[in-house]
Amino acid sequence: DENLQLQRTVESLKFNGVKVAQLEVENKELENEKEQLNKRLDLLKACNKKTERLEVSYQGLDLENQRLQKALENSNKKINQLENELQDLETENQSLQRNLEELKISS
């Protein structure tokens, strides 16, 4: 009876030893998975910071682009204004040239 009890205890210990070994393997796998997930998390955090920096940079560039577009619009308006003035002056010059020719002819 004691022998049978000892055999049961030995079998139970063997079973528990196998279970412990399985749990240790599973624990090691979970540790590796955790390490991989932490590495991935670090990469995602780095990507997020880079994205935030790019967003700030984009906003700055967008503001600069808007400023430059406004300056271009103002320059184009000034060019149109000056071209109109030039055309008016050329017309006036032609008229003065004709008057000068008429004065030369009549004197």
Side-chain angles (χ1 to χ4, degrees), residues 1 3 5 11-12 39 42 58 60 64 73 78 105:
D1 190 43
N3 199 17
Q5 183 65 31
E11 288 298 319
S12 178
K39 287 179 183 178
D42 289 342
Y58 166 78
E64 177 68 6
E73 287 174 19
K78 185 70 176 173
I105 292 172

Side-chain angles (χ1 to χ4, degrees), residues 21-55:
Q22 287 174 341
L23 289 173
E24 285 175 347
V25 167
E26 187 177 332
N27 188 44
K28 187 68 175 169
E29 289 171 352
L30 289 172
E31 293 274 338
N32 288 339
E33 186 177 344
K34 178 184 173 186
E35 186 178 326
Q36 293 299 319
L37 288 171
N38 280 331
K39 287 179 183 178
R40 190 166 176 208
L41 179 62
D42 289 342
L43 282 172
L44 288 172
K45 285 179 181 178
C47 286
N48 189 45
K49 284 185 180 185
K50 185 175 183 178
T51 299
E52 289 172 358
R53 285 193 305 270
L54 287 172
E55 179 66 26

Side-chain angles (χ1 to χ4, degrees), residues 66-90:
Q66 290 175 18
R67 185 189 70 75
L68 290 172
Q69 283 181 342
K70 187 68 175 170
L72 180 61
E73 287 174 19
N74 290 337
S75 294
N76 285 336
K77 286 178 186 176
K78 185 70 176 173
I79 288 170
N80 285 335
Q81 179 186 354
L82 290 172
E83 285 175 344
N84 288 336
E85 283 182 38
L86 178 62
Q87 189 174 6
D88 290 346
L89 288 171
E90 286 175 344

